[in-house]
C-alpha cells in the first residue's frame, strides 16, 4: 500500500529523532590526541599535535601536587586540570581539580554547565550539598574517603566543618567543564546587573546590594 505524503514525512521525522536519541560521541580514530594549544579549538577540542613530538610527560599532570591559594574571603582555593593546562586530556572528556579549605572555608554555590562531577574527600570533614531544579536540597557531612556525585548543571557547594584543613579531589566528565558562581555572576558581572533586578530577586535594598558588590571588585 502506498504511503501518503504526510505519512512519509512523519516516518522520516521519526527516524531522524530515533537516530538523534541513540547517537553518541564517535569512537576515537587514534590512541590519543594531545591538544595543540597554539591553535584555536574547534567544537570537539584542539587539533592533535604531531605524534612524533609526544612524550610521556604529555600524559602526566603535576599541577595539583601543591595546595591552592586559600588566602581569600572564602578561605578556600581550587586548581583545575582542564585541557587548557593538561593537553593530554584533549578529546577524552575528562578533567580534574584539587580543592583546599581552611577551617570554615567554603567553595560557594556554583554550577558546571558542561559536566557532571565526582568529589572525593581526601582530608578533613566537609558539608557537601546539591540543589536540584525543583529546589530539593541533598546535603550531609562527608568524611575522609567518601565520594559524592553531582549531576551536570546543578547548583552545589562544599564547606569545611572540621577543625583542620580539608582537601577534595574532583573529577569531571568534560575536558572543559566551565564553572559559574551564583553570587559572583549576579553581583560581580560586568556590566553590572541592574539594581532593580537584584532588589526584586533577592529582596535587598540599594545599600545592601552595594555592600555585596564590594566583595567582587
Amino acid at each position: 500500500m502506498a504511503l501518503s505524503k504526510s505519512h512519509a514525512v512523519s516516518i522520516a521525522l521519526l527516524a531522524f529523532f530515533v537516530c538523534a536519541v541513540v547517537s553518541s560521541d564517535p569512537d576515537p580514530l587514534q590512541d590519543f590526541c594531545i591538544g595543540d594549544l597554539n591553535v584555536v579549538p574547534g567544537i570537539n577540542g584542539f587539533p592533535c599535535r604531531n605524534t612524533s613530538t609526544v612524550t610521556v610527560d604529555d600524559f602526566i599532570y603535576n599541577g595539583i601536587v601543591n595546595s591552592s591559594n586559600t588566602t581569600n574571603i572564602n578561605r578556600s582555593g581550587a586548581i583545575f586540570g582542564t585541557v587548557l593546562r593538561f593537553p593530554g586530556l584533549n578529546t577524552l572528556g575528562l578533567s580534574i581539580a584539587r580543592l583546599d579549605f581552611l577551617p570554615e572555608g567554603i567553595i560557594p554555590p556554583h554550577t558546571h554547565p558542561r559536566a557532571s562531577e565526582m568529589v572525593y574527600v581526601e582530608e578533613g570533614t566537609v558539608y557537601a550539598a546539591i540543589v536540584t531544579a525543583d529546589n530539593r536540597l541533598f546535603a550531609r557531612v562527608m568524611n575522609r574517603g567518601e565520594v559524592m556525585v553531582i549531576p551536570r548543571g546543578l547548583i552545589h557547594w562544599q564547606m569545611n566543618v572540621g577543625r583542620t584543613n580539608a582537601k577534595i579531589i574532583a573529577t569531571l566528565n568534560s575536558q572543559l567543564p566551565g564553572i559559574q558562581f551564583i553570587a559572583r555572576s549576579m553581583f560581580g558581572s560586568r556590566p553590572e546587573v541592574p539594581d532593580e533586578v537584584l532588589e526584586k530577586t533577592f529582596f535587598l535594598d540599594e545599600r545592601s546590594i552595594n555592600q555585596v558588590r564590594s566583595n567582587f571588585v
Side-chain angles (χ1 to χ4, degrees), residues 110-145:
H110 62 282
T111 70
H112 300 290
R114 296 184 292 275
S116 296
E117 179 179 11
M118 292 182 68
V119 295
Y120 168 74
V121 180
E122 185 169 312
E123 298 175 7
T125 305
V126 301
Y127 175 73
I130 304 167
V131 179
T132 64
D134 59 353
N135 299 318
R136 293 184 64 191
L137 174 67
F138 294 90
R140 79 166 173 85
V141 173
M142 295 177 61
N143 298 301
R144 181 177 180 271

PDB file of all heavy atoms in Angstrom, residues 110-145:
ATOM      1  N   HIS A 110      27.800  27.007  43.093  1.00  0.00           N
ATOM      2  CA  HIS A 110      28.189  27.190  41.701  1.00  0.00           C
ATOM      3  C   HIS A 110      27.658  26.032  40.875  1.00  0.00           C
ATOM      4  O   HIS A 110      27.095  25.068  41.411  1.00  0.00           O
ATOM      5  CB  HIS A 110      29.715  27.266  41.573  1.00  0.00           C
ATOM      6  CG  HIS A 110      30.421  26.016  42.005  1.00  0.00           C
ATOM      7  ND1 HIS A 110      30.634  25.684  43.335  1.00  0.00           N
ATOM      8  CD2 HIS A 110      30.967  24.973  41.296  1.00  0.00           C
ATOM      9  CE1 HIS A 110      31.271  24.544  43.422  1.00  0.00           C
ATOM     10  NE2 HIS A 110      31.483  24.068  42.188  1.00  0.00           N
ATOM     11  N   THR A 111      27.829  26.125  39.572  1.00  0.00           N
ATOM     12  CA  THR A 111      27.445  25.048  38.663  1.00  0.00           C
ATOM     13  C   THR A 111      28.567  24.813  37.654  1.00  0.00           C
ATOM     14  O   THR A 111      29.419  25.678  37.425  1.00  0.00           O
ATOM     15  CB  THR A 111      26.156  25.373  37.874  1.00  0.00           C
ATOM     16  OG1 THR A 111      26.431  26.420  36.926  1.00  0.00           O
ATOM     17  CG2 THR A 111      25.039  25.812  38.797  1.00  0.00           C
ATOM     18  N   HIS A 112      28.545  23.615  37.054  1.00  0.00           N
ATOM     19  CA  HIS A 112      29.402  23.298  35.909  1.00  0.00           C
ATOM     20  C   HIS A 112      28.462  23.018  34.734  1.00  0.00           C
ATOM     21  O   HIS A 112      27.833  21.959  34.681  1.00  0.00           O
ATOM     22  CB  HIS A 112      30.280  22.081  36.198  1.00  0.00           C
ATOM     23  CG  HIS A 112      31.190  22.269  37.373  1.00  0.00           C
ATOM     24  ND1 HIS A 112      32.264  23.135  37.350  1.00  0.00           N
ATOM     25  CD2 HIS A 112      31.171  21.725  38.620  1.00  0.00           C
ATOM     26  CE1 HIS A 112      32.872  23.111  38.528  1.00  0.00           C
ATOM     27  NE2 HIS A 112      32.227  22.268  39.315  1.00  0.00           N
ATOM     28  N   PRO A 113      28.345  23.956  33.799  1.00  0.00           N
ATOM     29  CA  PRO A 113      27.343  23.813  32.736  1.00  0.00           C
ATOM     30  C   PRO A 113      27.589  22.679  31.763  1.00  0.00           C
ATOM     31  O   PRO A 113      26.661  22.253  31.072  1.00  0.00           O
ATOM     32  CB  PRO A 113      27.399  25.171  32.024  1.00  0.00           C
ATOM     33  CG  PRO A 113      28.755  25.715  32.334  1.00  0.00           C
ATOM     34  CD  PRO A 113      29.081  25.223  33.709  1.00  0.00           C
ATOM     35  N   ARG A 114      28.822  22.175  31.710  1.00  0.00           N
ATOM     36  CA  ARG A 114      29.133  21.154  30.707  1.00  0.00           C
ATOM     37  C   ARG A 114      29.609  19.835  31.298  1.00  0.00           C
ATOM     38  O   ARG A 114      30.172  19.007  30.580  1.00  0.00           O
ATOM     39  CB  ARG A 114      30.189  21.709  29.738  1.00  0.00           C
ATOM     40  CG  ARG A 114      29.711  22.902  28.920  1.00  0.00           C
ATOM     41  CD  ARG A 114      30.749  23.358  27.911  1.00  0.00           C
ATOM     42  NE  ARG A 114      31.925  23.937  28.526  1.00  0.00           N
ATOM     43  CZ  ARG A 114      32.032  25.213  28.894  1.00  0.00           C
ATOM     44  NH1 ARG A 114      31.004  26.032  28.720  1.00  0.00           N
ATOM     45  NH2 ARG A 114      33.155  25.678  29.428  1.00  0.00           N
ATOM     46  N   ALA A 115      29.389  19.602  32.603  1.00  0.00           N
ATOM     47  CA  ALA A 115      29.934  18.366  33.177  1.00  0.00           C
ATOM     48  C   ALA A 115      29.222  17.939  34.449  1.00  0.00           C
ATOM     49  O   ALA A 115      28.785  18.774  35.242  1.00  0.00           O
ATOM     50  CB  ALA A 115      31.420  18.541  33.475  1.00  0.00           C
ATOM     51  N   SER A 116      29.129  16.620  34.635  1.00  0.00           N
ATOM     52  CA  SER A 116      28.835  16.047  35.937  1.00  0.00           C
ATOM     53  C   SER A 116      30.162  15.921  36.681  1.00  0.00           C
ATOM     54  O   SER A 116      31.238  15.977  36.089  1.00  0.00           O
ATOM     55  CB  SER A 116      28.171  14.673  35.784  1.00  0.00           C
ATOM     56  OG  SER A 116      26.920  14.792  35.138  1.00  0.00           O
ATOM     57  N   GLU A 117      30.071  15.710  37.988  1.00  0.00           N
ATOM     58  CA  GLU A 117      31.281  15.768  38.813  1.00  0.00           C
ATOM     59  C   GLU A 117      31.232  14.701  39.903  1.00  0.00           C
ATOM     60  O   GLU A 117      30.168  14.344  40.396  1.00  0.00           O
ATOM     61  CB  GLU A 117      31.384  17.159  39.451  1.00  0.00           C
ATOM     62  CG  GLU A 117      32.573  17.379  40.356  1.00  0.00           C
ATOM     63  CD  GLU A 117      32.613  18.793  40.922  1.00  0.00           C
ATOM     64  OE1 GLU A 117      31.610  19.527  40.770  1.00  0.00           O
ATOM     65  OE2 GLU A 117      33.629  19.156  41.527  1.00  0.00           O
ATOM     66  N   MET A 118      32.399  14.183  40.269  1.00  0.00           N
ATOM     67  CA  MET A 118      32.549  13.336  41.446  1.00  0.00           C
ATOM     68  C   MET A 118      33.584  13.979  42.357  1.00  0.00           C
ATOM     69  O   MET A 118      34.669  14.352  41.890  1.00  0.00           O
ATOM     70  CB  MET A 118      32.981  11.921  41.068  1.00  0.00           C
ATOM     71  CG  MET A 118      31.930  11.137  40.317  1.00  0.00           C
ATOM     72  SD  MET A 118      32.455   9.434  39.941  1.00  0.00           S
ATOM     73  CE  MET A 118      32.487   8.739  41.603  1.00  0.00           C
ATOM     74  N   VAL A 119      33.235  14.134  43.642  1.00  0.00           N
ATOM     75  CA  VAL A 119      34.162  14.738  44.599  1.00  0.00           C
ATOM     76  C   VAL A 119      34.552  13.693  45.647  1.00  0.00           C
ATOM     77  O   VAL A 119      33.700  13.003  46.214  1.00  0.00           O
ATOM     78  CB  VAL A 119      33.573  15.996  45.269  1.00  0.00           C
ATOM     79  CG1 VAL A 119      33.370  17.091  44.238  1.00  0.00           C
ATOM     80  CG2 VAL A 119      32.257  15.697  45.971  1.00  0.00           C
ATOM     81  N   TYR A 120      35.834  13.576  45.875  1.00  0.00           N
ATOM     82  CA  TYR A 120      36.404  12.616  46.823  1.00  0.00           C
ATOM     83  C   TYR A 120      37.072  13.388  47.952  1.00  0.00           C
ATOM     84  O   TYR A 120      37.961  14.214  47.716  1.00  0.00           O
ATOM     85  CB  TYR A 120      37.421  11.725  46.110  1.00  0.00           C
ATOM     86  CG  TYR A 120      38.283  10.893  47.034  1.00  0.00           C
ATOM     87  CD1 TYR A 120      37.744   9.779  47.681  1.00  0.00           C
ATOM     88  CD2 TYR A 120      39.620  11.217  47.254  1.00  0.00           C
ATOM     89  CE1 TYR A 120      38.531   9.003  48.527  1.00  0.00           C
ATOM     90  CE2 TYR A 120      40.410  10.448  48.101  1.00  0.00           C
ATOM     91  CZ  TYR A 120      39.860   9.352  48.745  1.00  0.00           C
ATOM     92  OH  TYR A 120      40.634   8.594  49.573  1.00  0.00           O
ATOM     93  N   VAL A 121      36.622  13.147  49.178  1.00  0.00           N
ATOM     94  CA  VAL A 121      37.198  13.826  50.337  1.00  0.00           C
ATOM     95  C   VAL A 121      38.485  13.102  50.723  1.00  0.00           C
ATOM     96  O   VAL A 121      38.458  11.989  51.252  1.00  0.00           O
ATOM     97  CB  VAL A 121      36.215  13.843  51.521  1.00  0.00           C
ATOM     98  CG1 VAL A 121      36.851  14.561  52.713  1.00  0.00           C
ATOM     99  CG2 VAL A 121      34.912  14.525  51.130  1.00  0.00           C
ATOM    100  N   GLU A 122      39.600  13.740  50.451  1.00  0.00           N
ATOM    101  CA  GLU A 122      40.897  13.126  50.755  1.00  0.00           C
ATOM    102  C   GLU A 122      41.345  13.447  52.176  1.00  0.00           C
ATOM    103  O   GLU A 122      42.010  12.628  52.830  1.00  0.00           O
ATOM    104  CB  GLU A 122      41.950  13.597  49.755  1.00  0.00           C
ATOM    105  CG  GLU A 122      43.300  12.917  49.917  1.00  0.00           C
ATOM    106  CD  GLU A 122      44.232  13.193  48.756  1.00  0.00           C
ATOM    107  OE1 GLU A 122      43.804  13.058  47.597  1.00  0.00           O
ATOM    108  OE2 GLU A 122      45.394  13.537  49.028  1.00  0.00           O
ATOM    109  N   GLU A 123      40.995  14.640  52.647  1.00  0.00           N
ATOM    110  CA  GLU A 123      41.363  15.038  54.008  1.00  0.00           C
ATOM    111  C   GLU A 123      40.242  15.865  54.611  1.00  0.00           C
ATOM    112  O   GLU A 123      39.583  16.645  53.920  1.00  0.00           O
ATOM    113  CB  GLU A 123      42.655  15.874  54.008  1.00  0.00           C
ATOM    114  CG  GLU A 123      43.881  15.155  53.498  1.00  0.00           C
ATOM    115  CD  GLU A 123      45.092  16.089  53.414  1.00  0.00           C
ATOM    116  OE1 GLU A 123      44.982  17.243  53.890  1.00  0.00           O
ATOM    117  OE2 GLU A 123      46.121  15.673  52.858  1.00  0.00           O
ATOM    118  N   GLY A 124      40.012  15.706  55.907  1.00  0.00           N
ATOM    119  CA  GLY A 124      39.092  16.569  56.618  1.00  0.00           C
ATOM    120  C   GLY A 124      37.638  16.130  56.584  1.00  0.00           C
ATOM    121  O   GLY A 124      37.301  15.006  56.204  1.00  0.00           O
ATOM    122  N   THR A 125      36.782  17.069  56.959  1.00  0.00           N
ATOM    123  CA  THR A 125      35.340  16.850  57.054  1.00  0.00           C
ATOM    124  C   THR A 125      34.632  18.022  56.395  1.00  0.00           C
ATOM    125  O   THR A 125      34.856  19.179  56.777  1.00  0.00           O
ATOM    126  CB  THR A 125      34.903  16.747  58.529  1.00  0.00           C
ATOM    127  OG1 THR A 125      35.661  15.730  59.176  1.00  0.00           O
ATOM    128  CG2 THR A 125      33.425  16.411  58.638  1.00  0.00           C
ATOM    129  N   VAL A 126      33.783  17.744  55.413  1.00  0.00           N
ATOM    130  CA  VAL A 126      33.124  18.820  54.675  1.00  0.00           C
ATOM    131  C   VAL A 126      31.618  18.594  54.625  1.00  0.00           C
ATOM    132  O   VAL A 126      31.135  17.464  54.629  1.00  0.00           O
ATOM    133  CB  VAL A 126      33.665  18.944  53.233  1.00  0.00           C
ATOM    134  CG1 VAL A 126      35.150  19.225  53.233  1.00  0.00           C
ATOM    135  CG2 VAL A 126      33.354  17.697  52.426  1.00  0.00           C
ATOM    136  N   TYR A 127      30.901  19.701  54.609  1.00  0.00           N
ATOM    137  CA  TYR A 127      29.457  19.683  54.388  1.00  0.00           C
ATOM    138  C   TYR A 127      29.243  19.921  52.896  1.00  0.00           C
ATOM    139  O   TYR A 127      29.577  20.986  52.370  1.00  0.00           O
ATOM    140  CB  TYR A 127      28.788  20.777  55.214  1.00  0.00           C
ATOM    141  CG  TYR A 127      27.310  20.947  54.974  1.00  0.00           C
ATOM    142  CD1 TYR A 127      26.379  20.023  55.437  1.00  0.00           C
ATOM    143  CD2 TYR A 127      26.833  22.077  54.295  1.00  0.00           C
ATOM    144  CE1 TYR A 127      25.022  20.200  55.232  1.00  0.00           C
ATOM    145  CE2 TYR A 127      25.473  22.252  54.093  1.00  0.00           C
ATOM    146  CZ  TYR A 127      24.575  21.321  54.559  1.00  0.00           C
ATOM    147  OH  TYR A 127      23.225  21.498  54.351  1.00  0.00           O
ATOM    148  N   ALA A 128      28.725  18.908  52.204  1.00  0.00           N
ATOM    149  CA  ALA A 128      28.555  18.987  50.751  1.00  0.00           C
ATOM    150  C   ALA A 128      27.071  18.963  50.413  1.00  0.00           C
ATOM    151  O   ALA A 128      26.285  18.249  51.042  1.00  0.00           O
ATOM    152  CB  ALA A 128      29.268  17.828  50.071  1.00  0.00           C
ATOM    153  N   ALA A 129      26.687  19.729  49.387  1.00  0.00           N
ATOM    154  CA  ALA A 129      25.266  19.873  49.090  1.00  0.00           C
ATOM    155  C   ALA A 129      25.012  20.026  47.609  1.00  0.00           C
ATOM    156  O   ALA A 129      25.849  20.531  46.848  1.00  0.00           O
ATOM    157  CB  ALA A 129      24.699  21.083  49.838  1.00  0.00           C
ATOM    158  N   ILE A 130      23.816  19.579  47.203  1.00  0.00           N
ATOM    159  CA  ILE A 130      23.303  19.725  45.845  1.00  0.00           C
ATOM    160  C   ILE A 130      21.890  20.277  45.952  1.00  0.00           C
ATOM    161  O   ILE A 130      21.115  19.859  46.819  1.00  0.00           O
ATOM    162  CB  ILE A 130      23.239  18.364  45.121  1.00  0.00           C
ATOM    163  CG1 ILE A 130      24.595  17.669  45.093  1.00  0.00           C
ATOM    164  CG2 ILE A 130      22.691  18.524  43.701  1.00  0.00           C
ATOM    165  CD1 ILE A 130      24.507  16.211  44.668  1.00  0.00           C
ATOM    166  N   VAL A 131      21.538  21.214  45.063  1.00  0.00           N
ATOM    167  CA  VAL A 131      20.159  21.691  44.962  1.00  0.00           C
ATOM    168  C   VAL A 131      19.656  21.356  43.563  1.00  0.00           C
ATOM    169  O   VAL A 131      20.272  21.738  42.566  1.00  0.00           O
ATOM    170  CB  VAL A 131      20.051  23.207  45.212  1.00  0.00           C
ATOM    171  CG1 VAL A 131      18.597  23.665  45.066  1.00  0.00           C
ATOM    172  CG2 VAL A 131      20.571  23.561  46.594  1.00  0.00           C
ATOM    173  N   THR A 132      18.541  20.641  43.485  1.00  0.00           N
ATOM    174  CA  THR A 132      18.004  20.205  42.201  1.00  0.00           C
ATOM    175  C   THR A 132      17.153  21.294  41.559  1.00  0.00           C
ATOM    176  O   THR A 132      16.851  22.325  42.181  1.00  0.00           O
ATOM    177  CB  THR A 132      17.152  18.942  42.367  1.00  0.00           C
ATOM    178  OG1 THR A 132      16.004  19.259  43.179  1.00  0.00           O
ATOM    179  CG2 THR A 132      17.944  17.834  43.028  1.00  0.00           C
ATOM    180  N   ALA A 133      16.739  21.038  40.324  1.00  0.00           N
ATOM    181  CA  ALA A 133      15.937  22.013  39.583  1.00  0.00           C
ATOM    182  C   ALA A 133      14.575  22.253  40.227  1.00  0.00           C
ATOM    183  O   ALA A 133      13.968  23.315  40.013  1.00  0.00           O
ATOM    184  CB  ALA A 133      15.756  21.547  38.134  1.00  0.00           C
ATOM    185  N   ASP A 134      14.073  21.289  41.019  1.00  0.00           N
ATOM    186  CA  ASP A 134      12.808  21.502  41.723  1.00  0.00           C
ATOM    187  C   ASP A 134      13.041  21.920  43.176  1.00  0.00           C
ATOM    188  O   ASP A 134      12.179  21.761  44.041  1.00  0.00           O
ATOM    189  CB  ASP A 134      11.924  20.245  41.666  1.00  0.00           C
ATOM    190  CG  ASP A 134      12.596  19.021  42.270  1.00  0.00           C
ATOM    191  OD1 ASP A 134      13.796  19.107  42.621  1.00  0.00           O
ATOM    192  OD2 ASP A 134      11.930  17.984  42.399  1.00  0.00           O
ATOM    193  N   ASN A 135      14.237  22.496  43.421  1.00  0.00           N
ATOM    194  CA  ASN A 135      14.579  23.123  44.707  1.00  0.00           C
ATOM    195  C   ASN A 135      14.611  22.154  45.882  1.00  0.00           C
ATOM    196  O   ASN A 135      14.277  22.509  47.007  1.00  0.00           O
ATOM    197  CB  ASN A 135      13.627  24.293  45.007  1.00  0.00           C
ATOM    198  CG  ASN A 135      13.713  25.381  43.968  1.00  0.00           C
ATOM    199  OD1 ASN A 135      14.811  25.748  43.520  1.00  0.00           O
ATOM    200  ND2 ASN A 135      12.576  25.892  43.544  1.00  0.00           N
ATOM    201  N   ARG A 136      15.045  20.915  45.648  1.00  0.00           N
ATOM    202  CA  ARG A 136      15.281  19.965  46.718  1.00  0.00           C
ATOM    203  C   ARG A 136      16.756  20.014  47.114  1.00  0.00           C
ATOM    204  O   ARG A 136      17.636  20.034  46.249  1.00  0.00           O
ATOM    205  CB  ARG A 136      14.907  18.546  46.304  1.00  0.00           C
ATOM    206  CG  ARG A 136      13.433  18.320  46.066  1.00  0.00           C
ATOM    207  CD  ARG A 136      13.159  16.860  45.760  1.00  0.00           C
ATOM    208  NE  ARG A 136      13.471  15.997  46.899  1.00  0.00           N
ATOM    209  CZ  ARG A 136      13.513  14.657  46.830  1.00  0.00           C
ATOM    210  NH1 ARG A 136      13.286  14.045  45.669  1.00  0.00           N
ATOM    211  NH2 ARG A 136      13.794  13.937  47.906  1.00  0.00           N
ATOM    212  N   LEU A 137      16.989  20.055  48.410  1.00  0.00           N
ATOM    213  CA  LEU A 137      18.353  20.087  48.925  1.00  0.00           C
ATOM    214  C   LEU A 137      18.773  18.683  49.347  1.00  0.00           C
ATOM    215  O   LEU A 137      18.090  18.030  50.145  1.00  0.00           O
ATOM    216  CB  LEU A 137      18.442  21.027  50.121  1.00  0.00           C
ATOM    217  CG  LEU A 137      19.789  21.050  50.863  1.00  0.00           C
ATOM    218  CD1 LEU A 137      20.879  21.647  49.978  1.00  0.00           C
ATOM    219  CD2 LEU A 137      19.669  21.818  52.174  1.00  0.00           C
ATOM    220  N   PHE A 138      19.898  18.220  48.798  1.00  0.00           N
ATOM    221  CA  PHE A 138      20.507  16.960  49.213  1.00  0.00           C
ATOM    222  C   PHE A 138      21.865  17.306  49.819  1.00  0.00           C
ATOM    223  O   PHE A 138      22.771  17.748  49.102  1.00  0.00           O
ATOM    224  CB  PHE A 138      20.676  16.012  48.024  1.00  0.00           C
ATOM    225  CG  PHE A 138      19.370  15.533  47.442  1.00  0.00           C
ATOM    226  CD1 PHE A 138      18.749  16.250  46.433  1.00  0.00           C
ATOM    227  CD2 PHE A 138      18.767  14.377  47.914  1.00  0.00           C
ATOM    228  CE1 PHE A 138      17.545  15.823  45.890  1.00  0.00           C
ATOM    229  CE2 PHE A 138      17.561  13.935  47.376  1.00  0.00           C
ATOM    230  CZ  PHE A 138      16.947  14.651  46.374  1.00  0.00           C
ATOM    231  N   ALA A 139      22.007  17.112  51.120  1.00  0.00           N
ATOM    232  CA  ALA A 139      23.222  17.579  51.784  1.00  0.00           C
ATOM    233  C   ALA A 139      23.510  16.751  53.028  1.00  0.00           C
ATOM    234  O   ALA A 139      22.594  16.280  53.702  1.00  0.00           O
ATOM    235  CB  ALA A 139      23.072  19.044  52.169  1.00  0.00           C
ATOM    236  N   ARG A 140      24.792  16.574  53.299  1.00  0.00           N
ATOM    237  CA  ARG A 140      25.230  15.993  54.572  1.00  0.00           C
ATOM    238  C   ARG A 140      26.731  16.177  54.724  1.00  0.00           C
ATOM    239  O   ARG A 140      27.440  16.538  53.772  1.00  0.00           O
ATOM    240  CB  ARG A 140      24.843  14.530  54.689  1.00  0.00           C
ATOM    241  CG  ARG A 140      25.698  13.515  53.968  1.00  0.00           C
ATOM    242  CD  ARG A 140      25.349  12.128  54.503  1.00  0.00           C
ATOM    243  NE  ARG A 140      25.974  11.022  53.813  1.00  0.00           N
ATOM    244  CZ  ARG A 140      27.195  10.555  54.093  1.00  0.00           C
ATOM    245  NH1 ARG A 140      27.961  11.167  54.982  1.00  0.00           N
ATOM    246  NH2 ARG A 140      27.667   9.506  53.438  1.00  0.00           N
ATOM    247  N   VAL A 141      27.192  15.919  55.933  1.00  0.00           N
ATOM    248  CA  VAL A 141      28.623  15.989  56.217  1.00  0.00           C
ATOM    249  C   VAL A 141      29.313  14.750  55.637  1.00  0.00           C
ATOM    250  O   VAL A 141      28.832  13.623  55.812  1.00  0.00           O
ATOM    251  CB  VAL A 141      28.863  16.078  57.732  1.00  0.00           C
ATOM    252  CG1 VAL A 141      30.359  15.966  58.050  1.00  0.00           C
ATOM    253  CG2 VAL A 141      28.304  17.384  58.288  1.00  0.00           C
ATOM    254  N   MET A 142      30.394  14.977  54.925  1.00  0.00           N
ATOM    255  CA  MET A 142      31.187  13.895  54.340  1.00  0.00           C
ATOM    256  C   MET A 142      32.539  13.817  55.044  1.00  0.00           C
ATOM    257  O   MET A 142      33.142  14.838  55.384  1.00  0.00           O
ATOM    258  CB  MET A 142      31.413  14.135  52.844  1.00  0.00           C
ATOM    259  CG  MET A 142      30.155  14.110  52.002  1.00  0.00           C
ATOM    260  SD  MET A 142      30.524  14.490  50.271  1.00  0.00           S
ATOM    261  CE  MET A 142      31.658  13.155  49.833  1.00  0.00           C
ATOM    262  N   ASN A 143      33.002  12.598  55.230  1.00  0.00           N
ATOM    263  CA  ASN A 143      34.276  12.362  55.893  1.00  0.00           C
ATOM    264  C   ASN A 143      35.308  11.797  54.918  1.00  0.00           C
ATOM    265  O   ASN A 143      34.975  11.443  53.780  1.00  0.00           O
ATOM    266  CB  ASN A 143      34.075  11.398  57.066  1.00  0.00           C
ATOM    267  CG  ASN A 143      33.141  11.971  58.111  1.00  0.00           C
ATOM    268  OD1 ASN A 143      33.403  13.036  58.677  1.00  0.00           O
ATOM    269  ND2 ASN A 143      32.038  11.272  58.388  1.00  0.00           N
ATOM    270  N   ARG A 144      36.524  11.707  55.384  1.00  0.00           N
ATOM    271  CA  ARG A 144      37.625  11.221  54.568  1.00  0.00           C
ATOM    272  C   ARG A 144      37.280   9.877  53.917  1.00  0.00           C
ATOM    273  O   ARG A 144      36.793   8.955  54.563  1.00  0.00           O
ATOM    274  CB  ARG A 144      38.875  11.070  55.432  1.00  0.00           C
ATOM    275  CG  ARG A 144      40.113  10.597  54.694  1.00  0.00           C
ATOM    276  CD  ARG A 144      41.303  10.556  55.643  1.00  0.00           C
ATOM    277  NE  ARG A 144      42.506  10.102  54.963  1.00  0.00           N
ATOM    278  CZ  ARG A 144      42.876   8.832  54.851  1.00  0.00           C
ATOM    279  NH1 ARG A 144      42.120   7.875  55.383  1.00  0.00           N
ATOM    280  NH2 ARG A 144      43.985   8.509  54.212  1.00  0.00           N
ATOM    281  N   GLY A 145      37.526   9.791  52.603  1.00  0.00           N
ATOM    282  CA  GLY A 145      37.300   8.556  51.863  1.00  0.00           C
ATOM    283  C   GLY A 145      35.941   8.456  51.198  1.00  0.00           C
ATOM    284  O   GLY A 145      35.731   7.554  50.385  1.00  0.00           O
TER     285      GLY A 145
END
